[in-house]
Amino acid sequence: VWESAVIETTSLRSRAEQVLLGNRLEHSTKPSPSLYPHQWMWDSCFIAVGYSTFDGALARSEIRSLLRGQWSNGMVPQIIFNPASSGYFPGPDRWQSGRSPYAPENVQTSGITQPPLLAIAARAVIEREPDAGIARSFAAEVFPAITRYHEFLYRERDPDDSGLVTVVHPWESGLDNSPPYLDAGSRVELSYKPEYHRLDTAHVAARNRPTDKDYDLFIWLLEQMRDAEYDWSRYLPEAQLQVQDVLFNSVLCRANDDLAWIARYLEESDATARSWRDKTAAAIINSLRDEESGLFFSRDRRTGELLRQVTISSLMPLFAVQLEDGISQPPVDALADPALFDASGYRCPTTAISSSWFNPQNYWLGPVWINTNWMLRQGLLAHGCANQADAVRRDSLELVEKSGFREYFDPITGEGYGTDSFSWSAALTLDLLSVA
Ligand code: 9WN
């Protein structure tokens, strides 16, 4: 039994490495062979963590390639387009990022960002690099750029100086059709029906993807931002969708902690990164925590109301920062609650089972995703919940072993959905195998 377990792990590892190498482009790695043929930001951060387990040079090039797309105002874009591919909608012709004076000239990108995992990935890559000289020069190279990215987020996206960054498009959240966005999205009044032709449903069954109504919202919002030339001081006062997103801000909080670590590693001051971390941590606890349930929710900045939809994001402050016992307990308990996240199958559904939106086969409305499990596991470990953390790790590995490196998985049956050969499922499998 022991011998076969070892062989299984070895083969899972080598299959995961093959997925990443198979999805390589010239400078970076695409999320999947055909559904997502460009470079995505938070995907590449997870991918870099995966590469760091077996090839530091590829890990560094993944992050460098992201920074190649950085705008002069500091924004790191959600998508860096691969000029050799036209198989994804919306492409560069719809985004027209060149309308902004800050967009890079030789690289085509989208006009928004994604959960800011750069510092988290960079730290992992630095820590795993055995050659101290290489690690140090990479740290010195990326530290100023990542700092400028965080400066952008606080300067352009937190006009109230609240410590919470505002997300302006569901795609920025990374959890595109998650219930809080369907909720906030239902209040957006589309002034026209945008014209477009979806390409995603040519690759994946429509029942596993966002609806056409969701896409109307996604594309209409894109066109509003484009018309404002991605100038946030002009766009934000009128923007119909503005969310102080709990997952995005939790990632930012943790990223500040890792940015502070990189600063100390370089023997530079970590004061700015620490003060950002402390401010965002306090704002998450004071402004995004629901007193009654003890769970966390994103806040609609337009109405001022919490978007009280229980999703995986409600647990993400565990990943952000060290919470006091009384504050960490409700999210930890929610994991074992059959009405919320215990589906008697695989941990951890992305939308609570009791939600009226829950659908175990549709995108972010219920399926398990390996990246949210990866963050949750770290958050649980940081709060002394080793057994629960291990259960999340085990379920993640069981899912990819059973169904392959799919994009997302049914939390009840374990069936895989979405694209196959999905890069972050493979990359984070490598990381989970390396922490055993
Ligand atoms: C839009 C690439 C991306 C992920 C997102 C995931 C999905 C894109 C799409 O794929 O979104 O960004 O076309 O649906 O929701 O988290 O980064 O893997």
Side-chain angles (χ1 to χ4, degrees), residues 60 80 95 132 137 213 219 366-367 370:
R60 292 189 297 280
I80 297 175
W95 283 100
S137 72
K213 185 166 172 255
I219 303 307
I370 302 298

Side-chain angles (χ1 to χ4, degrees), residues 76-339:
V76 180
Q78 165 224 16
I79 301 176
I80 297 175
F81 290 107
N82 160 22
S85 178
S86 56
Y88 177 81
F89 175 81
D93 51 335
R94 188 64 64 123
W95 283 100
Q96 299 171 10
S97 57
R99 289 204 197 186
S100 163
Y102 306 116
E105 275 183 11
N106 304 321
V107 187
Q108 288 186 311
T109 78
S110 68
I112 53 172
T113 188
Q114 260 195 331
L117 276 129
L118 264 170
I120 301 170
R123 175 180 174 174
V125 171
I126 295 163
E127 279 192 303
R128 279 209 174 113
E129 174 52 53
D131 182 319
I134 291 179
R136 205 184 157 79
S137 72
F138 178 70
E141 175 189 337
V142 299
F143 177 67
I146 303 177
T147 304
R148 280 199 296 118
Y149 175 43
H150 289 206
E151 274 164 9
F152 160 82
L153 292 171
Y154 287 107
R155 186 184 67 237
E156 310 269 331
R157 294 299 192 80
D158 181 14
D160 313 321
D161 197 23
S162 66
L164 295 172
V165 163
T166 293
V167 160
V168 293
H169 194 290
W171 284 335
E172 276 198 327
S173 77
L175 273 54
D176 318 343
N177 69 341
S178 187
Y181 285 89
L182 301 180
D183 219 356
S186 70
R187 286 190 283 278
V188 176
E189 287 175 24
L190 275 55
S191 52
Y192 58 89
K193 186 172 161 44
E195 302 248 332
Y196 60 90
H197 175 65
R198 287 176 70 167
L199 297 176
D200 57 322
T201 40
H203 299 282
V204 169
R207 69 173 184 285
N208 304 131
R209 294 281 309 175
T211 63
D212 285 345
K213 185 166 172 255
D214 298 336
Y215 262 76
D216 284 350
L217 173 72
F218 296 162
I219 303 307
W220 186 83
L221 285 172
L222 181 165
E223 293 179 351
Q224 305 313 297
M225 300 184 298
R226 182 187 71 190
D227 292 349
E229 295 166 350
Y230 307 105
D231 174 342
W232 306 112
S233 63
R234 181 168 144 201
Y235 178 72
L236 218 47
E238 304 296 328
Q240 287 203 49
L241 187 125
Q242 303 188 38
V243 176
Q244 292 176 325
D245 184 279
V246 62
L247 182 146
F248 191 106
N249 281 285
S250 295
V251 166
L252 178 60
C253 188
R254 162 67 194 274
N256 282 321
D257 201 48
D258 287 346
L259 190 64
W261 181 91
I262 299 173
R264 290 191 299 275
Y265 174 83
L266 290 167
E267 292 165 35
E268 292 198 25
S269 166
D270 65 355
T272 305
R274 276 197 296 121
S275 76
W276 282 333
R277 177 201 60 197
D278 293 346
K279 189 165 179 173
T280 298
I284 290 172
I285 295 165
N286 297 330
S287 171
L288 303 184
R289 183 169 182 272
D290 170 48
E291 279 292 327
E292 206 183 309
S293 64
L295 297 178
F296 293 84
F297 299 109
S298 297
R299 191 176 287 280
D300 185 325
R301 186 166 171 264
R302 286 190 78 215
T303 63
E305 301 291 320
L306 285 180
L307 296 159
R308 289 172 208 276
Q309 301 276 357
V310 183
T311 68
I312 193 74
S313 302
S314 308
L315 316 183
M316 280 304 152
L318 292 170
F319 177 71
V321 70
Q322 201 62 48
L323 302 170
E324 286 169 21
D325 288 356
I327 299 205
S328 65
Q329 204 56 48
V332 171
D333 290 346
L335 260 180
D337 184 339

Side-chain angles (χ1 to χ4, degrees), residues 395-416:
D395 283 2
S396 310
L397 294 176
E398 257 180 63
L399 283 170
V400 294
E401 184 65 71
K402 172 184 158 78
S403 302
F405 298 108
R406 297 296 295 265
E407 194 178 0
Y408 37 98
F409 304 86
D410 190 309
I412 301 158
T413 66
E415 191 180 337

Side-chain angles (χ1 to χ4, degrees), residues 380-381 383-392:
L380 288 165
L381 266 187
H383 290 84
C385 306
N387 290 340
Q388 292 96 319
D390 198 49
V392 172

